[in-house]
Structures are given as C-alpha cells and as structure tokens.
C-alpha cells in the first residue's frame, strides 16, 4: 500500500509540474507577444497563476524561457525559407520571404525582437536561425543570377530591415497596425535590380554581430 501511495504521489507531482510548465509557456507567449521580451519575469508567473519560484524551477534564466517559447516560431521562420527556395521564380521567392518574415514580426512583438537578437545558450533557437541563414545566402544568389535582385544586395540588408521593422512594429502598435507594410513595400521595391540608385556600403558581418549583441545585453 505504501508503495502505491508513493507512486501515486510521484505521478501527481509530475503531472502538476507538467501543467505548470505548460501554463508558463502559454503565459510567456501571450506576455511576450503583447509587451516584448523585456517584460518582468514576475508578470509571466502571475499570468500563469504560479509563483516566481515555480517559474525559476522550470526556466532558470530569461533566455531559457525565450528558447522554449520561440523555438517553434523560429522553426516556422526557417521553414519559410525552404518554401522560398522551392519557388520556381527566384524574385517571387525572395520578395515573398521578406513579406512573410516581416509579417511574423508584426503578429508577435516578442518574435519581432527575437529575430533581431542572438541567444548563445538557446541552442534550438539558434540552430533554426542558422538553418534559415544558410538558405538565405542561396536565395540571394538565385535572385541575383536571375537578374532580378540588385547586385549590391547583402544578407546583412535583411538583418537591417528586420531591425527596422521591429522598431516600426513596436512604435506603431495598435495605433497604426499596418504601417509596417508600407515600409516593407519600400524596401522590397528598393531591392529590385532596376532600382538603380547605388547603396552606401553594407555594414560588415562582424559589425552586425556586435549590434545584435548590444540589443541583447539589456536582457
């Protein structure tokens, strides 16, 4: 009898722990989407209906809960790249990819920031980001080879538009929720090969990495 009670008690505790973790992830998705990544951890715990100690047991750091919350969305981001590469029209694949990822940012303020930051210990998140980046280089090369994408376009330029779009999404919010679409339309038009005005030099990859880490530091 004692063995059964102990077993039942362990199962109940495991079930409670699983429910708490699930509630925390739902709350994190909601809070991050509404308010961005800098929201207090205590607000996530409050929204989930648990104590801060329970949150800490499940997710020791802010980066850990960001990883668990956004890894599926980062997978969707990388999958969108694969869909773009499968488009027989290289320009359409490129432009639709830009629209897709900017739309993902607009739909979720938290993810808008995740796309412009790096999280070295969030292994699943960063693995999917790397998969998308490798595809981006191929996508750019295809669009240039087709004579559709301006030859001075760099992969850094997509990082710049994502940073800009995150700022527009955060600034306009509910007041002008479609404003991001006008900015993205300008960007896509400027990427076309017949947009003849030369661009200033693109930042070097190392400079962009420093910029991304600087965005991440406050967290």
């Amino acid at each position: 009898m004692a063995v059964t009670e102990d077993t039942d008690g362990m199962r109940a505790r495991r079930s409670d722990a699983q429910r708490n973790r699930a509630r925390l992830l739902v709350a994190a998705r909601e809070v991050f989407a509404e308010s961005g990544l800098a929201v207090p951890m205590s607000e996530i715990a409050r929204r989930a209906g648990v104590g801060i100690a329970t949150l800490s047991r499940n997710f020791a750091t802010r980066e850990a809960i960001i990883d668990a919350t956004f890894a599926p969305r980062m997978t969707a981001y990388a999958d969108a790249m694969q869909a773009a590469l499968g488009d027989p029209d290289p320009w359409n694949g490129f432009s639709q990819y830009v629209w897709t990822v900017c739309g993902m940012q607009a739909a979720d303020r938290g993810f808008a920031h995740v796309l412009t930051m790096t999280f070295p210990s969030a292994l699943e998140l960063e693995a999917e980001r790397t998969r998308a980046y490798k595809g981006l280089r191929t996508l750019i090369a295809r669009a240039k080879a087709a004579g559709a994408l301006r030859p001075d376009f760099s992969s850094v330029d997509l990082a710049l538009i994502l940073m800009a779009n995150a700022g527009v999404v955060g600034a306009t919010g509910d007041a002008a929720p479609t404003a991001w679409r006008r900015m993205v339309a300008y960007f896509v038009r400027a990427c076309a090969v017949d947009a003849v005005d030369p661009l200033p030099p693109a930042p070097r990859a190392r400079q962009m990495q420093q910029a991304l880490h600087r965005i991440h530091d406050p967290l």
Side-chain angles (χ1 to χ4, degrees):
M1 183 67 173
V3 172
T4 301
E5 289 176 349
D6 287 346
T7 301
D8 289 345
M10 289 175 62
R11 287 175 178 168
R13 286 192 294 274
R14 282 198 296 268
S15 180
D16 285 345
Q18 290 169 353
R19 282 195 296 270
N20 286 339
R21 181 181 174 85
R23 284 201 294 266
L24 283 164
L25 287 174
V26 169
R29 280 193 291 270
E30 292 174 352
V31 172
F32 287 147
E34 294 166 6
S35 305
L37 301 184
V39 67
M41 298 287 276
S42 58
E43 175 58 20
I44 297 173
R46 187 198 68 77
R47 185 78 65 94
V50 303
I52 193 69
T54 298
L55 187 154
S56 297
R57 281 196 299 272
N58 282 273
F59 305 102
T61 65
R62 181 182 298 269
E63 196 160 303
I65 197 167
I66 288 172
D67 190 15
T69 302
F70 290 107
R73 290 192 66 78
M74 192 62 85
T75 296
Y77 168 72
D79 288 346
M81 173 57 70
Q82 297 307 309
L85 288 170
D87 193 313
D89 181 334
W91 171 253
N92 190 64
F94 170 82
S95 59
Q96 289 304 309
Y97 180 70
V98 173
W99 278 107
T100 296
V101 297
C102 288
M104 292 173 73
Q105 285 186 304
D108 186 330
R109 286 186 64 187
F111 193 61
H113 294 152
V114 165
L115 282 180
T116 66
M117 301 162 74
T118 57
F119 305 91
S121 66
L123 300 182
E124 185 176 355
L125 195 81
E126 293 304 321
E128 290 298 86
R129 191 197 307 276
T130 298
R131 179 164 71 96
Y133 178 72
K134 289 179 179 177
L136 176 63
R137 297 179 68 176
T138 302
L139 190 68
I140 290 170
R142 288 178 68 235
K144 287 183 178 180
L149 180 63
R150 57 186 305 153
D152 55 354
F153 184 88
S154 166
S155 59
V156 167
D157 292 324
L158 181 61
L160 289 173
I161 188 59
L162 293 178
M163 293 171 75
N165 194 48
V168 170
V169 169
T172 57
D174 294 337
T178 62
W180 68 274
R181 296 185 64 84
R182 187 170 179 85
M183 186 198 67
V184 173
Y186 274 123
F187 173 80
V188 171
R189 182 67 191 89
C191 291
V193 73
D194 58 349
V196 295
D197 291 341
L199 295 172
R204 294 191 296 273
R206 184 174 182 180
Q207 292 174 316
M208 287 302 297
Q209 284 296 323
Q210 289 174 340
L212 294 174
H213 283 301
R214 186 174 295 119
I215 295 172
H216 176 58
D217 282 343
L219 298 179

